[in-house]
Amino acid sequence: MKICIFCSANSNIEPEYFEKTRELGEWMAKNGHTLVFGGCDMGLMECIAKAVYDGGGMTVGVVPSKIEENGHVSPHLSVEIPCDNLSDRKDLMLLKSDIVIALPGGIGTLDEIFTVAAAATIGYHRKKVILYNINGFWNSLVALLDDLQQRGMIRGEWQQHIVVANSLEDIESVCKG
């Protein structure tokens, strides 16, 4: 399976986020899954790339020109796909993957999650976004989605497109099913 990972490129965040990210990357490599990610050498992005790469797994980095210009391309790439901007990056990452996992992240990660979910709601694809809810990181987003659902702002159920996983076992279950 080709698994797209959206996540933070920041390093000054909770150590458990790195531990769980490394564990996920090791699981991906051990099970023959390919990593599709943003190609950056910082934060959780570099952590997942290193774990998959060191475990003998395939890593596909979709690298915007600004990342390249700033010298922040991960050294743990099996394949580098250059692109012009963040919109192209999202499109290519989605195209190259079977499922998406969102680790803790900020504005960019939220943008990626909602781009994928919104496209699924109108039928562009059937790929799910898994929110890896490490230490309850996504609880406030889940509460917001529930509130939007309750107010009638979301057609159908948001859980048709976004799944919450509280553990690696939950992720394994969604990836199998």
Side-chain angles (χ1 to χ4, degrees), residues 71-161:
H72 282 291
V73 178
S74 173
H76 300 100
L77 298 182
S78 308
V79 176
E80 179 179 344
I81 301 173
C83 63
D84 290 331
N85 55 52
L86 295 177
S87 294
D88 290 346
R89 179 202 238 175
K90 286 183 294 191
D91 290 344
L92 288 165
M93 289 171 71
L94 184 59
L95 179 68
K96 299 288 183 187
S97 62
D98 301 311
I99 197 163
V100 173
I101 299 173
L103 301 175
I107 292 170
T109 304
L110 288 170
D111 172 52
E112 293 163 335
I113 290 166
F114 288 117
T115 296
V116 172
T121 65
I122 56 176
Y124 280 105
H125 63 80
R126 300 179 59 86
K127 298 174 188 178
K128 292 198 180 296
V129 176
I130 301 169
L131 301 179
Y132 193 1
N133 199 25
I134 301 168
N135 278 354
F137 182 84
W138 294 115
N139 286 351
S140 57
L141 179 61
V142 169
L144 173 63
L145 290 167
D146 284 341
D147 184 54
L148 291 170
Q149 183 84 56
Q150 188 175 29
R151 293 172 186 265
M153 296 296 163
I154 297 175
R155 286 184 305 280
E157 301 287 323
W158 64 264
Q159 295 92 338
Q160 294 172 306
H161 310 289

Side-chain angles (χ1 to χ4, degrees), residues 1 3 23-24 27-28 30-31 33 99 101 130 132 165 167-177:
M1 180 173 269
I3 301 174
E23 179 184 78
L24 175 63
W27 171 82
M28 287 174 63
K30 180 181 169 191
N31 289 281
H33 300 304
I99 197 163
I101 299 173
I130 301 169
Y132 193 1
S167 66
L168 181 54
E169 293 75 25
D170 290 350
I171 290 172
E172 289 177 40
S173 199
V174 175
C175 287
K176 286 178 186 171

Side-chain angles (χ1 to χ4, degrees), residues 5-23:
I5 300 289
F6 296 145
C7 61
S8 177
N10 292 330
S11 295
N12 192 19
I13 57 178
E14 283 188 42
E16 187 169 358
Y17 299 154
F18 287 96
E19 292 165 27
K20 295 293 186 185
T21 297
R22 182 184 42 72
E23 179 184 78

